[in-house]
Amino acid sequence: MTPFEYLRRFRPDRATLTGEAFELGALAVEPGSTVGVVLMGLGGPSRPEEAVPFLYSRLMDPAEVELRVPQFARHRTARLLARRRGRRLAQAFELIGGASPLRRHAEEQARALQRVLSEGYDRSAGVDFRVYVAMRHGEPSMEAARAQMAEDAVTKVVLLPLQPHFSAATTGSSLAYWSALEDEPAADHWPTTLVRDYAGHPKLVHALSERIDEGLQRFPREVRDRVQILFAAHGAQRRHLTALDDPYCCQVQATVEAVLEARAEPERSVGVAFETPLGAGRPVGPTVDDALDDLASDGSSAVLVVPVSFISDRVETAFDLDVTARGRAAGRGVSHFEVTSGLNCHALLIDALAESVAGHVRPASDGPRAPVPPAPSRSTCAVCGRAVPAREWPDVAPHLTPRQRTAA
């Protein structure tokens, strides 16, 4: 489906954009079932020549990007903006080695996840797990993933976003497109459940903490204790916060609070900021640029940026943060600046993803289990003022128990 065709068919549906239209509990699977685990992401260009088509596709997506033009003019406006911004994106590729690592990391994550699921879970459930990468923009596309799933005779599906935090602009956009593909004539349909988010998973939290430890080691010993930590999240639209009661900013803060609690460093200054979203919409919270300006104004000279909602390295981390933000910080007097590596194939992340899948699949002989009651909120979101979610993990007690595995 072309971006133009999708735009013509798009009808904003709150239930889809918030994930409420999807089953969130555990799917019953019979022995011999083939469960397709779909790693859903926004995607990105792999080479400079893919920059303009990638930007055009994003700019044509009304679920993600706000363009203040009539719908009939969106195609022309998106083409113009994509060409203009594509030049800058192509230059970014030159500075990060000529290619984005996003697709490579996603495919490595898929292989690692399938290995953990196959070695640790499928024998206890009598099912075969197959993991697919399905990008909203770029390759591997959702269409390609669905075609391969049909060829592999998948019988049940678990949708697993490559974003730990739910946002209508990221996971919601992917769900809307997935639903549009299901409405196509002769489309395959599978019983499906959605892992809506895993923002509070303890293994995600500890993986982020380990990346912070690694990042702090890059600073000279004499400045390490005064390094300020800035958690940087994907850009999101404020309109989703008001129109869809989007939980994104609250979930990001919940992850940050869990990381800080695990690290127990009350004396270290910490901030949370969001990248500027594509399009004309207002950002959901303080931008990375604004946060760096504030840190510099307060006299901070050492900053460690932690990409909290990007679980793999990509242009946004390798260029926007490690090049552009670094230059801005240096210009404001920040003499020591580092960006942590993405989680990529960190073993704890892969285990968190596997456990998320296990919580959404149950043997058919088991009955449904009651959701785990949420823990009481302990703080208020600094962006929207709502209570920050604090829940036990997983939301549904897992039916599949992994076999004991030894570390590689």
Side-chain angles (χ1 to χ4, degrees):
M1 187 185 311
T2 68
F4 185 73
E5 290 171 340
Y6 178 67
L7 177 66
R8 292 181 62 185
R9 299 182 191 183
F10 180 79
R11 297 293 181 271
D13 178 68
R14 178 187 174 88
T16 300
L17 292 173
T18 60
E20 296 169 359
F22 293 80
E23 171 63 50
L24 302 177
L27 279 180
V29 295
E30 302 78 15
S33 298
T34 299
V35 178
V37 179
V38 183
L39 296 183
M40 307 180 83
L42 285 182
S46 298
R47 301 181 301 275
E49 56 268 27
E50 297 175 3
V52 172
F54 166 73
L55 287 170
Y56 170 73
S57 180
R58 286 188 65 188
L59 289 162
M60 287 289 282
D61 181 4
E64 180 191 1
V65 178
E66 181 179 357
L67 290 183
R68 292 169 184 162
V69 296
Q71 180 165 318
F72 70 84
R74 188 173 186 122
H75 167 66
R76 180 176 296 179
T77 304
R79 285 177 51 187
L80 178 65
L81 291 174
R83 291 196 193 102
R84 183 182 302 165
R85 300 189 182 194
R87 289 192 291 268
R88 179 178 179 273
L89 186 53
Q91 292 171 353
F93 274 104
E94 296 177 5
L95 294 174
I96 63 171
S100 168
L102 173 61
R103 177 173 179 174
R104 172 172 57 84
H105 287 311
E107 292 176 341
E108 289 174 352
Q109 288 167 337
R111 289 192 293 271
L113 177 59
Q114 180 160 318
R115 183 170 61 252
V116 170
L117 288 171
S118 298
E119 293 176 355
Y121 292 96
D122 65 350
R123 295 184 184 180
S124 63
V127 303
D128 179 25
F129 286 101
R130 303 286 182 90
V131 183
Y132 306 86
V133 178
M135 295 302 187
R136 171 66 184 88
H137 312 283
E139 299 294 334
S141 67
M142 290 190 179
E143 289 90 338
R146 291 176 62 88
Q148 188 61 54
M149 289 162 62
E151 185 175 326
D152 293 342
V154 163
T155 56
K156 304 289 175 70
V157 170
V158 178
L159 300 179
L160 179 59
L162 285 171
Q163 296 90 19
H165 315 95
F166 188 93
S167 169
T170 53
T171 303
S173 169
S174 295
L175 294 177
Y177 193 77
W178 185 266
S179 296
L181 293 177
E182 288 188 328
D183 291 338
E184 292 276 272
D188 291 283
H189 293 82
W190 302 278
T192 301
T193 186
L194 167 67
V195 179
R196 194 166 183 261
D197 71 88
Y198 40 98
H201 199 294
K203 291 185 177 179
L204 171 75
V205 168
H206 286 287
L208 287 167
S209 183
E210 287 190 8
R211 286 293 190 250
I212 292 174
D213 286 334
E214 295 167 5
L216 290 173
Q217 293 303 310
R218 301 178 197 166
F219 291 85
R221 188 184 303 272
E222 61 272 15
V223 304
R224 205 168 291 163
D225 289 341
R226 54 186 173 87
V227 173
Q228 314 294 304
I229 298 179
L230 178 63
F231 289 89
H234 186 277
Q237 303 276 0
R238 182 168 287 273
R239 65 187 172 106
H240 292 146
L241 177 64
T242 55
L244 299 174
D245 199 27
D246 199 283
Y248 180 63
C249 56
C250 300
Q251 290 184 357
V252 169
Q253 185 162 322
T255 300
V256 171
E257 290 180 0
V259 171
L260 298 179
E261 182 176 343
R263 296 186 61 78
E265 291 184 298
E267 72 283 356
R268 195 182 294 280
S269 177
V270 174
V272 181
F274 301 83
E275 292 210 320
T276 304
L278 187 64
R282 293 174 57 201
V284 70
T287 66
V288 171
D289 286 351
D290 290 341
L292 289 173
D293 289 347
D294 291 342
L295 286 169
S297 297
D298 291 341
S300 302
S301 61
V303 176
L304 175 64
V305 178
V306 182
V308 66
S309 62
F310 304 98
I311 63 171
S312 61
D313 292 317
R314 60 194 71 198
V315 174
E316 289 95 330
T317 58
F319 180 75
D320 292 347
L321 296 179
D322 210 10
V323 177
T324 303
R326 180 186 296 274
R328 186 180 187 90
R332 296 299 306 272
V334 178
S335 54
H336 301 281
F337 182 93
E338 297 291 344
V339 180
T340 64
S341 301
L343 296 181
N344 301 326
C345 275
H346 194 297
L348 287 174
L349 170 67
I350 301 303
D351 280 348
L353 297 178
E355 290 173 12
S356 297
V357 173
H360 285 71
V361 176
R362 65 178 176 86
S365 56
D366 288 1
R369 299 187 183 182
V372 175
S377 174
R378 292 174 294 177
S379 64
T380 301
C381 179
V383 173
C384 67
R386 295 177 297 187
V388 172
R391 61 176 186 264
E392 299 298 327
W393 190 265
D395 288 9
V396 178
H399 292 256
L400 308 188
T401 304
R403 294 184 297 120
Q404 197 68 28
R405 291 185 293 118
T406 57

